[in-house]
């Protein structure tokens, strides 16, 4: 078997919900059937998992296994930045600088060893040894803030989930099982009495096109394809998932009961 030191999943959209991935990340080994054969194999799982995407959502069982890194260029279209704004040309410079970067990491580790290998203060559940060692290395070098963005990341995900669930509840109450257009949903959202929903979905944008674009992005990134539990008018709980179908006049949406 070919073992990879890193598994990189890029260009992710929507929500990652995979109990299998959650188990693979935390287990020391994985047992499964070999593809194309009636043979069970057990392989070690000791690589680094990296997931990249724009406004990616995670289920709670995956959030507690994450070290979130948020990249914010501070401009609306970071891909349009001129090359002279970068101190180094990526990835060429970083490939060429790899020996220097590895040597710098060794210096940080040796500094930590010389200080008696102090344990870091922040602890990541299921990765206690790793987080205490990594936090200790950084704190010994005077670098604070390791894992401090995790709670804020969790809180932000909870807030976005609550807003998305409220939006799906409104869809269900207004449209039921029938198909509807984005314009119908925009009208529903802009006429709602919920200030919280207006603020979170961006309907306070100055222009009508800006409001429509903000709501469209919210539906695409936070609602589409995700399962939500909502209450029916009769007090029953239903699990719904929003689906989209492209038509000549634009997308049509429909809530499917799971």
């Amino acid at each position: 078997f070919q073992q990879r030191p890193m598994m990189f999943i890029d260009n992710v959209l929507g929500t990652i919900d995979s109990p299998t991935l959650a188990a693979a990340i935390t287990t020391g080994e994985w047992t499964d059937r070999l593809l194309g054969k009636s043979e069970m194999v057990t392989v070690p799982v000791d690589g680094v998992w990296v997931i990249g995407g724009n406004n990616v959502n995670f289920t709670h069982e995956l959030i507690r296994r994450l070290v979130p890194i948020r990249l914010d260029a501070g401009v609306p279209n970071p891909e349009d930045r001129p090359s002279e704004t970068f101190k180094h040309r990526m990835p060429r410079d970083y490939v060429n600088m790899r020996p220097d970067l590895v040597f710098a990491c060794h210096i940080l580790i040796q500094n930590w060893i010389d200080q008696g290998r102090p344990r870091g203060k922040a602890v990541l559940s299921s990765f206690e040894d790793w987080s205490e060692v990594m936090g200790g290395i950084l704190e010994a070098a005077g670098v604070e803030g390791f894992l401090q963005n995790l709670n804020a990341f969790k809180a932000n995900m909870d807030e976005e989930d609550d807003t998305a669930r409220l939006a799906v509840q409104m869809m269900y109450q207004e449209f039921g099982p029938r198909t509807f257009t984005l314009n119908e949903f925009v009208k529903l959202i802009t006429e709602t009495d919920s200030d919280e929903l207006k603020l979170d979905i961006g309907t306070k944008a100055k222009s009508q096109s800006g409001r429509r674009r903000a709501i469209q992005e919210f539906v695409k990134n936070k609602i589409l394809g995700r399962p939500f539990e909502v209450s029916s008018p009769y007090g029953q709980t239903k699990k719904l998932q929003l689906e989209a179908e492209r038509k000549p006049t634009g997308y049509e949406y429909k809530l499917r009961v799971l």
Side-chain angles (χ1 to χ4, degrees), residues 18-164:
S18 174
T20 302
L21 178 60
I25 289 174
T26 49
T27 187
E29 58 183 27
W30 186 262
T31 301
D32 214 330
R33 185 177 66 86
L34 190 64
L35 290 177
K37 296 183 179 181
S38 299
E39 178 185 351
M40 299 296 291
V41 295
T42 299
V43 295
V45 181
D46 51 12
V48 177
W49 297 77
V50 180
I51 298 175
N54 292 322
N55 298 316
V56 183
N57 290 312
F58 298 89
T59 58
H60 285 281
E61 66 176 348
L62 282 170
I63 287 178
R64 74 174 189 85
R65 294 167 164 85
L66 295 178
V67 178
I69 301 173
R70 181 174 178 82
L71 302 178
D72 186 356
V75 294
N77 299 300
E79 69 276 8
D80 296 333
R81 288 174 294 173
S83 59
E84 58 266 19
T85 61
F86 295 92
K87 183 177 180 180
H88 300 285
R89 296 186 63 86
M90 297 176 60
R92 184 193 64 193
D93 285 1
Y94 288 103
V95 172
N96 295 335
M97 293 169 59
R98 186 177 186 276
D100 294 332
L101 295 173
V102 172
F103 181 74
C105 290
H106 286 177
I107 293 296
L108 292 175
I109 295 171
Q110 187 61 53
N111 174 66
W112 171 68
I113 293 174
D114 291 343
Q115 294 187 37
R117 303 184 182 186
R119 291 286 184 172
K121 301 171 186 173
V123 177
L124 183 63
S125 179
S126 299
F127 302 91
E128 291 85 357
D129 287 341
W130 176 86
S131 57
E132 288 178 352
V133 169
M134 290 300 298
I137 293 172
L138 293 171
E139 289 169 19
V143 180
E144 301 291 339
F146 180 60
L147 295 180
Q148 286 187 3
N149 63 339
L150 188 55
N151 287 334
F153 183 79
K154 291 178 180 178
N156 184 59
M157 294 290 291
D158 289 340
E159 290 177 3
E160 291 178 347
D161 282 349
D162 290 342
T163 303

Side-chain angles (χ1 to χ4, degrees), residues 214-250:
I215 295 174
Q216 184 178 27
E217 286 299 309
F218 183 85
V219 171
K220 175 184 175 182
N221 295 325
K222 306 300 181 184
I223 298 179
L224 195 62
R226 298 181 58 193
F228 291 92
E229 288 189 352
V230 301
S231 299
S232 72
Y234 306 102
Q236 299 174 322
T237 299
K238 290 183 177 291
K239 181 175 283 190
L240 305 174
Q241 181 173 298
L242 184 67
E243 298 179 340
E245 183 179 358
R246 190 166 189 173
K247 300 288 186 178
T249 56

